[in-house]
Amino acid sequence: MTAKDLLPIALFAAVAALLPLFVTQNTWLNFAVFTLIICLAAQGWNILGGYGGQYSFGHAAFFGTAAYATAILQMRYGMNAYPAFAVGVAAASAVGAVIGFLSFRSGLRGSYFALVTLAFAEVFRVLANASEVTGGAAGILIKLDVRPANFQFDSRASFYWIALGLVTAALVVTRALERSRLGAQLVAVRENENAALALGVDALRVKLSAIALSAAITGAAGALYAQYFLYLDANIAYGTWISVEALLAPIIGGAGTVFGPVLGGVVLHGLSEFTKTLVGRIPGLDLVIFGVLLILVVRFPPREIPGLIRMWRARR
């Protein structure tokens, strides 16, 4: 990886970092922080689904595991928020490795793998909803203690810059993966796993590495969500909403590309907020919109925004 590879990421981070200097309303900053959290989760999905071709419908399992681990360690065991955040990310990665081992070792791929990940996420949701350590149906509330040493800030701009830093780090990791031997092997497995095996690629190791890294990045999004909103319940942490958004953003923005999840996440949430402004905040409206978009991008090629732009320029 060269400096030329990092230049677009540096430019994106530098421009995006200026937003709080011009936008000071908390409503818009909340929107920006939440959008970055979704972009981070989507970047995690992109590594497994975009580069690896292993479509997951259950990334909520990783998002929720990290979120709950972060909250529980703070509230039940008195751990500081920063190490709790790191442990949450590690726990999500471990869950990803276990799910990946059980799935890939059994030879599951395609729709079978997607359904297994969805099943794991739903099992985790049911367990969290019934468990006492997670607060059950009432959820868990992280104590408000606004101090930087406790990973809580009185300014939403601070959280925005932290979220932007995590997204930027995920972009760098994705670019490094793209330029690495592991990335080449991952793409080879995506294109033709049997051919990759014939060439000596250890497909199981490659896919396990991808799902562990994917889960860690999505877990970072979950841990940041918990720390920003300070409340979790099973339907938030392990809900289908995060699996759908983590999957749909890269598909719309360009799966298997570095900036695709960021572009898709911004477009998705921009469209969602615009629609809510027009027709009101109807519960479940955003999922309806995302479902319609998913049908459209699957049914009508090109399936992503960059492809539409290229087609429009060609016609021009």
Side-chain angles (χ1 to χ4, degrees), residues 28 30-39 41-42 225 241-242 244-246 248-249 252 261-277 281 286 289-290 293:
W28 287 106
N30 280 333
F31 169 78
V33 171
F34 187 65
T35 299
L36 287 174
I37 289 174
I38 298 304
C39 291
Y225 181 99
W241 69 275
I242 184 61
V244 170
E245 295 193 33
L248 193 55
I252 289 178
V262 176
L263 176 60
V266 171
V267 170
L268 276 180
H269 280 274
L271 180 60
S272 176
E273 288 300 315
F274 177 73
T275 306
K276 289 176 182 178
T277 301
R281 295 188 173 272
D286 52 347
I289 295 171
F290 297 160
L293 284 174

Side-chain angles (χ1 to χ4, degrees), residues 24-304:
T24 57
Q25 297 92 336
N26 286 337
T27 301
W28 287 106
L29 288 176
N30 280 333
F31 169 78
V33 171
F34 187 65
T35 299
L36 287 174
I37 289 174
I38 298 304
C39 291
L40 186 61
Q43 194 71 12
W45 186 95
N46 187 44
I47 287 176
L48 182 65
Y51 288 95
Q54 311 298 319
Y55 276 39
S56 163
F57 286 176
H59 260 54
F62 315 137
F63 183 92
T65 295
Y68 266 123
T70 299
I72 290 170
L73 288 172
Q74 292 180 70
M75 299 311 299
R76 306 288 187 191
Y77 301 100
M79 183 179 288
N80 180 265
Y82 291 100
F85 185 99
V87 173
V89 172
S93 183
V95 168
V98 171
I99 293 176
F101 181 80
L102 295 176
S103 302
F104 300 140
R105 187 73 174 177
S106 302
L108 298 181
R109 64 179 73 176
S111 58
Y112 296 103
F113 174 72
L115 290 174
V116 164
T117 57
L118 178 62
F120 269 106
E122 184 61 16
V123 168
F124 287 172
R125 187 191 68 81
V126 172
L127 291 176
N129 200 49
S131 176
E132 184 176 335
V133 71
T134 60
I140 186 170
L141 185 67
I142 298 177
K143 181 181 178 181
L144 182 64
D145 185 7
V146 183
R147 291 181 296 131
N150 200 38
F151 208 159
Q152 294 184 28
F153 308 92
D154 56 4
S155 169
R156 285 168 174 77
S158 299
F159 268 110
Y160 171 82
W161 283 317
I162 290 173
L164 178 60
L166 289 172
V167 170
T168 303
L171 291 173
V172 172
V173 169
T174 305
R175 179 67 80 190
L177 176 70
E178 197 176 59
R179 296 289 188 262
S180 69
R181 180 182 180 86
L182 175 62
Q185 292 175 336
L186 189 59
V187 172
V189 170
R190 179 191 69 190
E191 296 301 321
N192 192 321
E193 184 170 338
N194 292 329
L197 288 170
L199 292 173
V201 175
D202 187 344
L204 178 60
R205 179 189 63 81
V206 169
K207 290 191 287 187
L208 284 178
S209 300
I211 196 172
L213 179 58
S214 173
I217 294 175
T218 301
L224 184 62
Y225 181 99
Q227 203 59 39
Y228 184 67
F229 291 100
L230 302 178
Y231 172 76
L232 290 172
D233 64 20
N235 291 322
I236 292 174
Y238 292 117
T240 55
W241 69 275
I242 184 61
S243 293
V244 170
E245 295 193 33
L247 177 150
L248 193 55
I251 292 177
I252 289 178
T257 63
V258 174
F259 284 98
V262 176
L263 176 60
V266 171
V267 170
L268 276 180
H269 280 274
L271 180 60
S272 176
E273 288 300 315
F274 177 73
T275 306
K276 289 176 182 178
T277 301
L278 289 180
V279 301
R281 295 188 173 272
I282 301 174
L285 177 63
D286 52 347
L287 291 179
V288 173
I289 295 171
F290 297 160
V292 171
L293 284 174
L294 181 59
I295 293 171
L296 291 175
V297 299
V298 170
R299 176 63 181 84
F300 300 105
R303 299 180 178 181
E304 72 283 334

Side-chain angles (χ1 to χ4, degrees), residues 1-10 175:
M1 188 170 62
T2 65
K4 185 178 179 180
D5 295 323
L6 296 176
L7 182 59
I9 299 174
R175 179 67 80 190

